[in-house]
Amino acid sequence: MDNQRELIGQLNDDDEKPEDKKEEEEPTERPSTPGDDQQKMSMEEEQTELRPEASRTAASGRNMSALVTQIAISILDTWGDSCYAGLTGIEIISENGEKIALKDDQIFANPRDLNDIPGSHADPRTKDKLIDGHNVTSDDHHMWLIPFTPGASHLLQFDLLAPTSVAAVRLWNYNKSAEDATRGAKRVLLMLDGRLVSPDCGFVLRKAPGHAMFDFGQTITMEEALTQTRWSLPRSLNESPKSLAQSLARLHPMCDAPCLPRGLTVSFVLAASHGDLYYIGLNGIKLFDELGNEINLQPKQIVAVPGSINELPEVRERGGGDCRTPDKLVDGVNDTWDAQHLWLAPLAKEGTNRIFVLFDAPVTLSMIQIWNYSRTPSRGVSEVHVAVDGLYVHMGYLRPAPDADRRDLGKSFVQSIMLGPCEEGNVDRESIAAPQAEQHVVLVNERKVVGGAQILQQEKSSQPSAFQQQAPSSSAPTE
């Protein structure tokens, strides 16, 4: 640390779009969705409500500020690249939640940029791009990139010119593409006026998504930096992986044991619906920490791609937004058939639908609970993949939610994904989501059904079957 502080002193002395499908392949009008007339909001109001803002975090009453003149960041390692490291943008937030204006001559870097490499010149990824305001982007002309040497010093310093009350630092990691996101900083040390305020191992930054579909910025508040809350490793992570596996096996023999995954981004890949060709949705999501306590999730932490059916042109033309937006996933009302508490999105034509849960500090997961879409069960999620910081911890299937006319008001239709040990009495075995799809078997002997007759009766009584998608009509269906 003495070498890094000497280097900080030295820096103070230097200035430095796809083709449309044919009409016969895709109907001209997507079927409308029930619940369009309930609690509509404009798109502008929805984006304002769900947009992650540093000012909300910085200006909240529970956060403290620090009076500093210099802020230094030291990059310890990257998300995998051993040759380059970079960032997209940085903002320093004052105690009143406003961004502090910075100029290029207030930023000092060592290495400065790629132009420090012999034979390299005129590379646009210079330090001034960190404060150009283009943070949610995948254009590397608005990013900063330096040569990276494992174990060496990589310092970035901001001179505020005078003692300034700072409440938070907000960073956007390197985001040129999904592949180049490995050049983003993974662990950084934070120093205020030469004093180390981050843990010895550094703060962990989220890996950028590789696209600009949502605001991927991460906020480090001065309260967290000075008290180092939420950054210590839980004791349960020291438990033997074998004992975790045995604990899970007692609950469900088909459960895998990912040993309490820990990270900053939890992503859900919604690979398939229960038969609907146009929409996919969920009722709710809950996450639980290593102690089995529910993690408090705020709407601004939830990002869906595509966001909701409000992105459809025909919904916008009606002059109002549909109420089934991503914030409903964490409103706590899950065992319901009320459209005001559900999330629904158009089924992605290219790629898959995804839900991201973003954290500014690492969290450890022991269980995930999911409520499938109930208003139209065929629009619920059939296959789901869960990843923590890009590493898959679960790949499995979800059962469809019960129909409204067959619902059991006294029983929840929650489905649990086990990622760590828990008390057996706290989890219903029947609610655990298995990693393999359920199969219905009918036994026939000498043309007589000798087993599984109830399955045939259920299929005959279902109107229509979840896998029998009807062609959309020009008029809006009731369900």
Side-chain angles (χ1 to χ4, degrees), residues 42 170 302:
S42 67
R170 186 161 173 82
I302 310 299

Side-chain angles (χ1 to χ4, degrees), residues 384-396:
V384 62
H385 306 162
V386 183
V388 177
D389 285 347
L391 299 178
Y392 285 103
V393 298
H394 175 83
M395 302 179 72

Side-chain angles (χ1 to χ4, degrees), residues 306-444:
S308 69
I309 58 176
N310 289 313
E311 297 183 6
L312 295 173
E314 53 266 34
V315 176
R316 295 183 179 181
E317 291 175 359
R318 289 201 294 264
D322 190 277
C323 62
R324 289 165 290 185
T325 48
D327 59 305
K328 305 307 189 302
L329 291 170
V330 294
D331 68 356
V333 184
N334 301 317
D335 289 301
T336 180
W337 285 258
D338 186 350
Q340 300 181 34
H341 301 287
L342 315 181
W343 166 74
L344 188 67
L347 199 62
K349 297 180 181 179
E350 297 182 358
T352 54
N353 293 72
R354 295 174 183 265
I355 298 174
F356 299 90
V357 184
L358 308 178
F359 295 93
D360 287 336
V363 296
T364 304
L365 300 180
S366 64
M367 180 173 65
I368 298 174
Q369 290 187 338
I370 300 177
W371 285 259
N372 224 335
Y373 191 80
S374 60
R375 193 168 179 87
T376 308
S378 63
R379 293 174 177 172
V381 177
S382 172
E383 183 178 353
V384 62
H385 306 162
V386 183
V388 177
D389 285 347
L391 299 178
Y392 285 103
V393 298
H394 175 83
M395 302 179 72
Y397 296 82
L398 299 177
R399 295 178 292 275
D403 292 317
D405 55 352
R406 299 179 182 175
R407 57 186 172 183
D408 184 354
L409 297 179
K411 185 177 181 180
S412 172
F413 52 88
V414 62
Q415 300 181 59
S416 302
I417 299 174
M418 307 306 302
L419 302 175
C422 64
E423 297 295 333
E424 297 188 18
N426 296 339
V427 180
D428 184 1
R429 291 173 180 266
E430 296 181 358
S431 71
I432 296 178
Q436 297 181 3
E438 294 182 347
Q439 295 182 346
H440 295 170
V441 179
V442 178
L443 303 179
V444 180

Side-chain angles (χ1 to χ4, degrees), residues 54-85:
S55 59
R56 293 186 183 179
T57 304
S60 61
R62 65 177 182 275
N63 288 329
M64 64 179 68
S65 60
L67 193 65
V68 297
T69 304
Q70 294 176 346
I71 297 177
I73 295 174
S74 175
I75 300 177
L76 298 180
D77 58 18
T78 68
W79 275 98
D81 197 296
S82 60
C83 299
Y84 301 98

